Amino acid sequence: KPFASLTGSGCHAHVSLHEPGTGKNLCQGGAPEMHGLSPLALSFTAGLLAHAPALTALTNPTVNSYKRLGARMTSSGATWSPTAATWAGNNRTALIRVPDEHRMELRLADMSANPYLMAAAIGAAGLDGLRARSVPPPPTDRNMYDASDPVVAAAIKASPPLPSNLAGALEALDASSPLRSGLGDAFVDSYLKLRRAHWAEYMAQLTPWELETYLDA
């Protein structure tokens, strides 16, 4: 997010599940109230939602990434970035959008993400949901930016909170057994060391805002 008043640059991942060999799409055939997603696709979606805080460390790997997530309204009228780990139909205010019964769109990542690490992390989180046969909460087909809506407020309260900064995301990744299992402890530990050094470098900086706010003339 290089401009405070403008919408940040997202890197949305469209995910679908297919049968080996035939290539048959396995996402479709579910109930209309679940936006047509099959039980298999719903379990994969549940895994993404449950592990969203840890995923964020890989999909949003910079200090600046968190200026996009949960950002204030922009001059265009919307941030189009998620505020909570919820899912919905064709709704761009949710973390996971289901544009049709053939796929899911994860709207978490931004343009600083490594696409290979992002794909591996999505796979690890979703497969954990499949193994556990997890069931996601009902979709929240509401404007997730409207905090005055009691349905939205309840959905946000019930969902895993998205980290507000890189340090929080790294803590979530460090504590995530499913992502450690899927990505390997050696990789996760090396990644945490690298990104924590990045966070420490940022925390050592004095910004113009701090000087203007706290330093008396």
Side-chain angles (χ1 to χ4, degrees):
K1 188 178 172 71
F3 305 105
S5 62
L6 300 179
T7 304
S9 297
C11 183
H12 303 155
H14 288 255
V15 182
S16 56
L17 308 177
H18 297 266
E19 188 175 70
T22 67
K24 177 184 176 182
N25 188 295
L26 300 176
C27 291
Q28 58 190 341
E33 61 269 22
M34 303 304 272
H35 299 294
L37 292 186
S38 66
L40 200 70
L42 289 172
S43 288
F44 196 94
T45 298
L48 294 179
L49 294 172
H51 302 306
L55 271 177
T56 307
L58 294 150
T59 58
N60 305 77
T62 71
V63 170
N64 180 260
S65 295
Y66 299 84
K67 303 297 176 68
R68 169 182 165 266
L69 291 180
R72 296 178 180 178
M73 199 66 71
T74 66
S75 58
S76 67
T79 69
W80 302 123
S81 63
T83 58
T86 63
W87 75 287
N90 194 10
N91 178 351
R92 288 179 168 84
T93 68
L95 177 72
I96 297 177
R97 177 176 76 105
V98 182
D100 56 55
E101 64 178 357
H102 301 96
R103 60 196 164 114
M104 300 82 77
E105 178 192 47
L106 180 65
R107 302 174 57 81
L108 182 60
D110 64 38
M111 294 303 292
S112 62
N114 180 308
Y116 304 104
L117 296 183
M118 179 174 73
I122 289 172
L127 287 173
D128 185 67
L130 286 178
R131 280 190 293 268
R133 298 185 179 181
S134 302
V135 178
T140 307
D141 293 298
R142 309 290 274 258
N143 178 3
M144 292 305 299
Y145 301 150
D146 183 6
S148 65
D149 183 338
V151 175
V152 170
I156 292 174
K157 184 177 181 180
S159 67
L162 297 179
S164 60
N165 55 46
L166 179 60
L170 295 174
E171 289 298 318
L173 176 60
D174 197 0
S176 175
S177 296
L179 288 193
R180 280 187 168 277
S181 175
L183 301 174
D185 282 325
F187 164 75
V188 171
D189 289 340
S190 294
Y191 183 84
L192 290 171
K193 181 179 180 180
L194 177 68
R195 302 321 292 166
R196 281 172 170 158
H198 178 70
W199 174 255
E201 182 181 355
Y202 164 71
M203 289 299 292
Q205 307 304 310
L206 290 177
T207 65
W209 183 89
E210 291 173 279
L211 297 176
E212 292 172 7
T213 302
Y214 301 123
L215 187 62
D216 292 334

